[in-house]
Amino acid sequence: MKSSPDPRPPSAEPAMPRLPDRRQSVQSAQTGMVVLKGLAHIGGDASLTALAARVGESPAKVHRYLVSLMQEGLVDQDPATQRYFLGPELIRIGLAAMRQAEPIRHAEPALIRLRERLEITCFVAVMGNRGPTIMRIEEPGLPVTVNVRAGSVMSMLWSATGRVFLGLLDEASVRQMAEAELAAATDDMRALLPAPDPVGTLQREVRAARCASVRDTYLRGISAVAAPVFDFTGRVCAVITALGASGGFDPSVDGSIALAVCREAHATSLKLGYVGPAPAAG
């Protein structure tokens, strides 16, 4: 019995599957990301109905995407409750991103924007073992002459930077630094602080305003405003500060400079995974 001849030329390769339309692929990827973000925003654990309502799609459509995401380990499902939750691969991706979430690197673009937009000196500081320490500073073309530079340690009580850490970083060592400064201060320096409870009053003021400002307290003739940078746990990991000559610098907590600093600090916090509230006026 003769077999039917193969219609293909001897050298012909098997036909390659056609790739889906690029626009369709991009749209599908975007929808998948919307589903993942929706699950994360709900809390990382949700029913199909709740997730579909969150992303504004039909349960059937969301289910199709969830199946694909489960195949990649980005989503998992509890067989008992049928609820979906973030999968192990997504956790590994998140951990890798957190390892790269270094506040100084993410704050640099914010400092540059503040310097260029407002023509002011600004810097980012972290809490060191001796106090708030400047890590990166940006100065305009005509900088204000101040005796601060990268590596400078700021006061806990008399600088705006230190006051933000004092008010929002709830650690015993921070309070101890502030108490030690107060104990060593001269009467003239103490007179610049609120009485009768300087440390407690400053903490309450910063917590209420979510930022801090000073005029002629740390450096004569210099004013400053500072705002916190939060990490993914909600902890203050850095502070962004802007300063200038008191005569032409508005340090009020509801002024344009303070609002700009708060917005940039919040934008930096978002890059570090922070999910808390934005500044009230931001």
Side-chain angles (χ1 to χ4, degrees):
M1 181 176 179
K2 294 183 179 180
S3 59
S4 301
D6 190 338
R8 296 177 301 171
S11 60
E13 295 291 336
M16 294 293 292
R18 294 185 62 185
L19 294 174
D21 182 82
R22 183 175 181 275
R23 289 172 297 181
Q24 182 179 353
S25 298
V26 171
Q27 185 176 8
S28 296
Q30 289 176 336
T31 305
M33 294 304 101
V34 168
V35 171
L36 274 179
K37 289 180 180 179
L39 184 56
H41 288 165
I42 288 177
D45 179 8
S47 66
L48 175 60
T49 302
L51 182 56
R54 172 75 188 199
V55 301
E57 298 285 356
S58 69
K61 182 175 182 179
V62 171
H63 181 262
R64 291 198 299 271
Y65 282 94
L66 286 170
V67 170
S68 296
L69 293 169
M70 289 172 64
Q71 290 173 346
E72 297 299 325
L74 299 174
V75 171
D76 210 339
Q77 186 179 30
D78 185 332
T81 65
Q82 300 300 303
R83 293 173 69 87
Y84 295 91
F85 56 92
L86 300 178
E89 284 300 323
L90 198 59
I91 293 173
R92 279 187 276 271
I93 292 171
L95 290 173
M98 285 188 291
R99 285 193 291 270
Q100 296 179 11
E102 202 281 316
I104 308 307
R105 178 168 61 87
H106 286 297
E108 288 177 355
L111 298 182
I112 293 171
R113 286 192 294 268
L114 287 170
R115 180 201 67 193
E116 294 180 348
R117 187 183 311 136
L118 302 176
E119 297 185 347
I120 54 177
T121 297
C122 49
F123 60 80
V124 59
V126 300
M127 180 57 69
N129 58 3
R130 295 189 298 124
T133 305
I134 297 176
M135 302 301 294
R136 172 70 185 271
I137 187 167
E138 288 287 336
E139 296 181 301
L142 295 174
V144 176
T145 302
V146 292
N147 189 29
V148 294
R149 59 185 62 84
S152 295
V153 177
M154 309 297 287
S155 164
M156 291 295 305
L157 295 174
W158 288 276
S159 74
T161 308
R163 290 182 180 185
V164 170
F165 280 117
L166 176 62
L168 299 175
L169 186 56
D170 189 16
E171 295 180 1
S173 60
V174 173
R175 175 87 186 206
Q176 289 168 2
M177 288 182 186
E179 296 286 2
E181 274 193 22
L182 183 62
T186 64
D187 290 340
D188 288 342
M189 292 297 291
R190 285 171 175 262
L192 298 173
L193 301 176
D197 176 21
V199 174
T201 301
L202 290 176
Q203 286 180 317
R204 290 188 291 272
E205 289 177 351
V206 171
R207 289 167 187 168
R210 302 274 289 184
C211 65
S213 68
V214 297
R215 180 186 290 273
D216 302 330
T217 59
Y218 186 60
L219 297 169
R220 186 63 60 88
I222 299 296
S223 295
V225 293
V229 174
F230 298 96
D231 64 16
F232 68 98
T233 68
R235 177 182 181 272
V236 177
C237 60
V239 171
I240 292 179
T241 302
L243 58 84
S246 295
F249 186 99
D250 177 15
S252 56
V253 295
D254 57 352
S256 59
I257 295 176
L259 296 181
V261 172
C262 287
R263 281 194 296 267
E264 292 293 356
H266 181 68
T268 303
S269 300
L270 294 179
K271 293 180 181 179
L272 298 175
Y274 176 65
V275 294

